[in-house]
Amino acid sequence: QVELVESGGGLVQAGGSLRLSCAASGRAISSLTRAWFRQAPGKEREFVAAINWGGSSIYYGGSAKGRFTISRDNAKNEFYLEMSNLKPEDTAVYYCAADPIAAATTTSARAYDYWGPGTQVTVSS
């Protein structure tokens, strides 16, 4: 069993940056694909980025390309989402997720077994 917990969310002005962290416990996640999703009020959960177990494959959703960077630290059993040039439309609850079978290109939330509780990111204009 894997437990994930996000941190690093908060309130930031448009154009600013935030770094989200996802800490895992229960087992090592080095063999899992790790991903970030987000969900704004009234909208479906949206794929943001994913990195495969070996780090050789990274995939970004359209909203993240060029502004967000996913990375991992297997020694710390953590992974991260660096977000820059944030926009008000990036406001959402951000979730980290992991799965032993998903590929980095797996964008469906239903494919991921393990989820964190989410962290709120609010971008003011």
Side-chain angles (χ1 to χ4, degrees):
Q1 185 69 15
V2 176
E3 294 185 357
L4 304 175
V5 178
E6 305 91 344
S7 61
L11 175 63
V12 63
Q13 288 188 335
S17 301
L18 277 176
R19 184 189 194 221
L20 304 183
S21 298
C22 181
S25 61
R27 59 167 280 191
I29 58 171
S30 57
S31 63
L32 307 182
T33 289
R34 285 145 277 182
W36 289 94
F37 287 78
R38 67 186 186 185
Q39 188 165 18
K43 294 188 177 182
E44 293 187 354
R45 195 162 295 191
E46 176 191 13
F47 173 82
V48 176
I51 183 168
N52 73 336
W53 66 272
S56 60
S57 179
I58 293 175
Y59 188 68
Y60 293 99
S63 60
K65 288 180 181 177
R67 300 188 298 129
F68 295 0
T69 302
I70 188 171
S71 62
R72 77 202 202 285
D73 187 333
N74 288 338
K76 293 183 177 180
N77 219 27
E78 295 181 352
F79 61 107
Y80 313 99
L81 185 70
E82 297 269 5
M83 305 185 293
S84 62
N85 191 22
L86 284 162
K87 306 174 182 179
E89 50 264 42
D90 293 319
T91 295
V93 177
Y94 283 71
Y95 299 90
C96 62
D99 191 84
I101 299 175
T105 53
T106 301
T107 61
S108 172
R110 288 176 293 181
Y112 289 82
D113 276 351
Y114 305 113
W115 289 88
T119 185
Q120 177 70 45
V121 172
T122 302
V123 184
S124 63
S125 58

